[in-house]
Amino acid sequence: MAIISDFKENEAPQQAAAGPGVEEALVAALERSGGALPFLQAAIDVAHRSSGLFRDPSAVSKVTAIAAAVRAQVEAEQRAARDAKRKAEEAERKAAAEAQRAAAEAATVEEKPESSVEKDSMEVDRKEEGNVRQPNAGNGLDLEKYSWTQQLPEVNIIIPVPQGTKSRFVVFDIKKDHLKVGLKGQPPFIDGELYKPIKVDDCFWSIEDGKTLSILLTKHNQIEWWKSVIKGDPEVDTQKVEPESSKLADLDPETRQTVEKMMFDQRQKQMGLPTSDEMQKQEILKKFMSEHPEMDFSRAKLA
């Protein structure tokens, strides 16, 4: 598990000292070297020969921290772009759904039997009692102390903190099945058993703009939707989640097929239609009946 904020606080001023001329020279050297990795290798060799950098036992960890910080920045930018895209798409979907729902209600409200209205009300009540909620634009929930979003491989948690908060103020304890997050001297924002296990070494946290604590959790099972971050917290209705098509394209063929089957079955259940397994059984039964017309299938039921 990597902590990005300490490096940002300690090293950012040194990075800002490089002027335009230095950057232009580095870009030119990068182009001549034939790629980023050969360029980095050459830079490390120069640093070693000219400064004795690697006589310091902590040099490797410092270089690794630089790379980790840049990677975290790239991931943050990618998450921001994905969130913006999701919000725009969600706004369009909501507008279209609202218009469609309003038209449908106007056409059917007078014809709908009273018993059906009561049934819908009971279903809503059961959902509320069962602590199940509609997902936000990022397939997660917006809670009192934190918000979270998810895609199949990962969970992102956003916690508002007082302006000017530094990483040294943060209390962060993470295990494969437990998460505790807070500020020193204050009750924790999160403290409980995770909904599912995570890969601790692939998890990150950082302070963004001095007012937001951002946490990335990498799921151990990356083809499963989480209902909540912490067991016992309000749960999201996983039948309503919508994965990004770009994320599905990143999966290997077998995993993608499993996820698409799961999504299809969820949609079928919502519409009261048979799942893929049930449809397959129907086809097998129909084929058997056509091949054996002499048999009596009057009691056979085709769902």
Side-chain angles (χ1 to χ4, degrees):
M1 189 271 299
I3 304 173
I4 306 304
S5 299
D6 287 335
F7 171 77
K8 287 183 177 178
E9 293 173 14
N10 297 332
E11 300 295 333
Q14 297 180 16
Q15 293 176 350
V22 175
E23 182 174 351
E24 291 177 0
L26 291 174
V27 170
L30 172 62
E31 293 175 350
R32 290 194 303 270
S33 64
L37 291 178
F39 172 77
L40 288 175
Q41 181 64 58
I44 290 173
D45 289 342
V46 171
H48 168 57
R49 293 195 305 270
S50 302
S51 66
L53 169 65
F54 291 97
R55 294 193 185 95
D56 181 357
S58 65
V60 173
S61 62
K62 290 178 180 178
V63 173
T64 303
I66 294 173
V70 174
R71 176 57 186 167
Q73 181 180 356
V74 171
E75 291 177 348
E77 293 171 352
Q78 291 175 338
R79 288 197 300 272
R82 290 199 302 266
D83 289 343
K85 180 182 177 182
R86 279 197 299 267
K87 289 178 181 178
E89 292 175 348
E90 180 67 16
E92 292 180 1
R93 285 195 298 268
K94 285 184 177 179
E98 287 295 334
Q100 185 177 3
R101 183 162 49 249
E105 289 176 353
T108 62
V109 65
E110 294 182 358
E111 301 176 1
K112 194 170 186 179
E114 182 178 351
S115 59
S116 179
V117 175
E118 292 176 352
K119 181 179 178 182
D120 290 347
S121 177
M122 291 174 62
E123 289 179 353
V124 171
D125 291 341
R126 282 198 297 269
K127 275 195 172 184
E128 291 179 350
E129 291 175 0
N131 210 23
V132 177
R133 302 182 184 180
Q134 294 286 334
N136 59 21
N139 297 325
L141 288 175
D142 299 319
L143 305 178
E144 180 181 356
K145 294 184 178 180
Y146 67 93
S147 299
W148 66 280
T149 60
Q150 66 172 322
Q151 288 297 328
L152 284 170
E154 64 190 31
V155 171
N156 293 281
I157 305 172
I158 298 296
I159 304 175
V161 294
Q163 181 67 46
T165 296
K166 304 295 184 182
S167 61
R168 60 179 176 273
F169 302 156
V170 176
V171 176
F172 191 92
D173 181 28
I174 187 170
K175 298 179 176 63
K176 70 175 183 177
D177 55 4
H178 190 277
L179 177 65
K180 180 178 180 181
V181 186
L183 299 178
K184 293 180 180 178
Q186 299 183 24
F189 302 115
I190 300 174
D191 186 7
E193 184 180 358
L194 290 166
Y195 180 74
K196 291 290 183 179
I198 58 172
K199 298 179 180 180
V200 177
D201 292 339
D202 294 331
C203 297
F204 302 88
W205 68 270
S206 64
I207 297 292
E208 298 181 358
D209 300 326
K211 59 181 180 181
T212 302
L213 175 56
S214 176
I215 304 170
L216 170 66
L217 303 180
T218 301
K219 299 177 183 178
H220 189 272
N221 182 354
Q222 300 193 345
I223 59 170
E224 180 179 19
W225 295 111
W226 282 20
K227 293 183 178 181
S228 64
V229 175
I230 300 297
K231 290 184 178 179
D233 279 1
E235 295 184 352
V236 65
D237 185 353
T238 54
Q239 293 188 0
K240 305 292 186 180
V241 300
E242 297 183 5
E244 290 181 304
S245 57
S246 60
K247 285 293 182 182
L248 286 176
D250 294 338
L251 300 175
D252 62 82
E254 182 178 356
T255 303
R256 177 173 179 174
Q257 184 178 8
T258 301
V259 173
E260 289 178 339
K261 178 179 180 295
M262 177 181 66
M263 293 166 55
F264 174 80
D265 289 344
Q266 286 180 354
R267 288 193 296 269
Q268 292 292 98
K269 289 179 180 178
Q270 290 174 3
M271 295 184 291
L273 299 175
T275 64
S276 55
D277 290 336
E278 292 169 343
M279 293 171 65
Q280 184 178 12
K281 291 177 182 178
Q282 290 178 18
E283 291 299 323
I284 293 174
L285 181 56
K286 289 179 181 178
K287 181 179 180 181
F288 184 80
M289 291 171 62
S290 65
E291 293 175 350
H292 300 276
E294 74 281 0
M295 298 182 65
D296 181 12
F297 294 99
S298 58
R299 295 183 180 181
K301 180 181 178 182
L302 294 179

